[in-house]
Amino acid sequence: MDYYILAINPGSTSTKAAVYKNEEVLFVEAINHSNEELEKCKSLKDQFEMRKQLVLQALAKHKFNLEKLSAVVGRGGQLPPVKAGGYYVNEAMKKRIIQGPIVNHASNLGALLAAALAQPKGIPAYIYDAVSSDELKPVAKVTGIPEIVRHSFCHVLNSKATARKVAQSQGKGYEAMNFIVAHLGGGISISAHEKGKIVDVITDDAGPFSPERSGSVPILYIVDMCYSGEYSKKDLLKKLRGLGGLKAHLGTHDCRQIEAMIEQGNEQAKLLYEAQAYQVAKGIGELAPTIDGKIDNIILTGGIAYSKMLTDMIAKRVEFIAPVIVVPGENELESLALGALRILRGEEECNEYVDRHETKEEFFV
């Protein structure tokens, strides 16, 4: 039986959509949103109708009949911690996204867009491998501040999908192997995968700095900045995400431009690029003990894994731990579509979202 699946991935400045026939991609559209378009919307919720219409226009452009669709799958957002895998987009999930509390992130629109396009057709709407999917071991959640509990926030969707691909290429199942996966993008996260579960992570604010994020910074310095009177909360959040990392130092987050600087003899750019690789390698080493050093492969993925200069610098520092495999790109639309396809084929069960996180105490269970 042929299944037609529409996958939708809303990002901060773009909406990407693709239609798959089983494993085969029929077309992909990357719709960029200008600052002017986004500034007209006061909140992410206000962006919903704009993005929905643009997706419909993309389908019309390719003369695709919506009646052929078997399911629609959207990127999973910043819900309270959920299991990895697929979830039906139900009323409880939509209520949480619309009414909150929920971290403000463009990925939250994935579920709403999927439901808006699927439910009038009487077909299922899913999310898959939400950003907040949490499979951490209890020991990995403990911090030195009792009021703060660690949760799993990383590039779950691409990290798991890439690990599945690597396992398949070796004739094994994802659930039979152990990996450390470093997702190298605008933000960098690193995850330890043990027999099909992400058991520990280094989040994009707790590890290496990235093209536009500060990564981990000694906390006492941050406390001093918070109380210096020089910065608002908004200012500091921008320093952490958006205006941090390579952008803060070099004025650009484009690694192609930075590599060009290095080739032209810019010593500062060379040092910073190497420092980014150095910190990624440290993060990989930090996670090695979480699965007792029993690692089949280290995987480097994400958009800036296309940089051979960067991946070579990382690999030379960590290849003593395990063989390094580079799988560049984000592959998020494919990851969404293949997850939905496994559900439609009955190869995976789909979860029903139940909102049990009304209080702070329950939120951290």
Side-chain angles (χ1 to χ4, degrees):
M1 180 177 179
D2 289 331
Y3 293 104
Y4 291 86
I5 300 163
L6 169 61
I8 305 173
N9 180 15
S12 56
T13 59
S14 69
T15 301
K16 297 175 183 176
V19 171
Y20 282 75
K21 178 183 177 182
N22 300 324
E23 292 90 352
E24 175 192 2
V25 61
L26 300 184
F27 62 84
V28 178
E29 283 287 330
I31 307 161
N32 294 314
H33 308 306
S34 67
N35 289 333
E36 291 75 20
E37 282 179 306
L38 296 174
E39 285 170 2
K40 290 177 184 177
C41 304
K42 295 181 180 179
S43 69
L44 284 176
K45 294 171 191 173
D46 295 335
Q47 294 179 21
F48 165 77
E49 192 61 38
M50 173 192 75
R51 294 184 189 243
K52 174 186 168 185
Q53 292 305 319
L54 288 170
V55 171
L56 289 171
Q57 289 171 25
L59 294 171
K61 171 184 168 183
H62 291 274
K63 297 181 172 57
F64 183 81
N65 183 354
L66 271 71
E67 300 303 323
K68 293 176 71 173
L69 285 175
S70 309
V72 185
V73 57
R75 185 179 176 194
Q78 301 273 1
L79 292 162
V82 293
K83 293 193 294 185
Y87 276 83
Y88 294 106
V89 181
N90 58 18
E91 291 306 311
M93 183 183 294
K94 291 193 288 185
K95 180 180 177 183
R96 166 62 70 165
I97 293 169
I98 294 168
Q99 298 183 7
I102 191 170
V103 176
N104 199 32
H105 193 275
S107 61
N108 297 333
L109 294 173
L112 300 181
L113 291 166
L117 295 173
Q119 289 173 353
K121 307 294 179 187
I123 58 176
Y126 307 124
I127 61 168
Y128 196 86
D129 278 347
V131 178
S132 57
S133 298
D134 195 336
E135 302 171 310
L136 299 194
K137 297 176 181 179
V139 70
K141 298 189 174 189
V142 179
T143 78
I145 300 177
E147 295 88 350
I148 298 176
V149 177
R150 291 183 69 238
H151 287 291
S152 179
F153 283 97
C154 69
H155 297 84
V156 178
L157 181 62
N158 186 50
S159 296
K160 275 184 168 274
T162 305
R164 285 180 186 277
K165 278 188 174 181
V166 170
Q168 186 178 27
S169 72
Q170 298 181 30
K172 299 179 181 179
Y174 171 54
E175 293 76 12
M177 300 188 75
N178 294 340
F179 301 107
I180 294 179
V181 182
H183 179 102
L184 313 175
I188 292 175
S189 66
I190 309 172
S191 47
H193 300 235
E194 183 178 33
K195 301 295 187 285
K197 291 186 177 181
I198 295 178
V199 295
D200 207 341
V201 299
I202 296 175
T203 59
D204 66 358
D205 61 347
F209 68 81
S210 73
E212 58 184 22
R213 298 181 189 176
S214 69
S216 176
V217 179
I219 193 67
L220 292 179
Y221 295 165
I222 297 294
V223 172
D224 286 343
M225 291 178 76
C226 288
Y227 287 93
S228 68
E230 295 181 32
Y231 308 98
S232 67
K233 181 178 180 180
K234 184 177 180 181
D235 292 336
L236 284 172
L237 288 174
K238 274 292 184 185
K239 279 186 172 293
L240 297 177
R241 293 187 173 207
L243 297 178
L246 294 174
K247 185 175 179 65
H249 286 281
L250 298 171
T252 179
H253 62 264
D254 189 328
C255 291
R256 293 165 297 185
Q257 293 180 16
I258 294 168
E259 290 192 19
M261 292 179 191
I262 295 169
E263 289 169 4
Q264 293 163 11
N266 187 319
E267 291 298 323
Q268 184 192 20
K270 181 180 178 182
L271 173 65
L272 289 162
Y273 215 45
E274 185 173 359
Q276 181 179 250
Y278 175 86
Q279 291 191 9
V280 172
K282 280 177 63 178
I284 290 168
E286 181 180 339
L287 286 183
T290 67
I291 42 183
D292 300 327
K294 298 174 182 176
I295 301 155
D296 292 295
N297 293 108
I298 295 165
I299 302 170
L300 307 180
T301 186
I304 60 174
Y306 283 108
S307 167
K308 189 174 187 303
M309 183 186 294
L310 184 70
T311 57
D312 281 354
M313 287 191 290
I314 297 168
K316 76 176 185 179
R317 293 184 180 275
V318 299
E319 58 193 1
F320 75 95
I321 299 172
V324 177
I325 296 177
V326 180
V327 186
E330 297 187 355
N331 309 309
E332 290 181 330
L333 290 170
E334 179 187 66
S335 306
L336 290 168
L338 294 183
L341 182 61
R342 289 191 292 272
I343 294 169
L344 290 168
R345 287 176 170 171
E347 296 170 4
E348 286 186 20
E349 290 187 11
C350 193
N351 300 293
E352 193 76 33
Y353 179 78
V354 178
D355 201 312
R356 298 193 180 96
H357 309 287
E358 294 298 332
T359 69
K360 183 176 179 181
E361 180 181 356
E362 289 177 340
F363 182 89
F364 288 120
V365 169

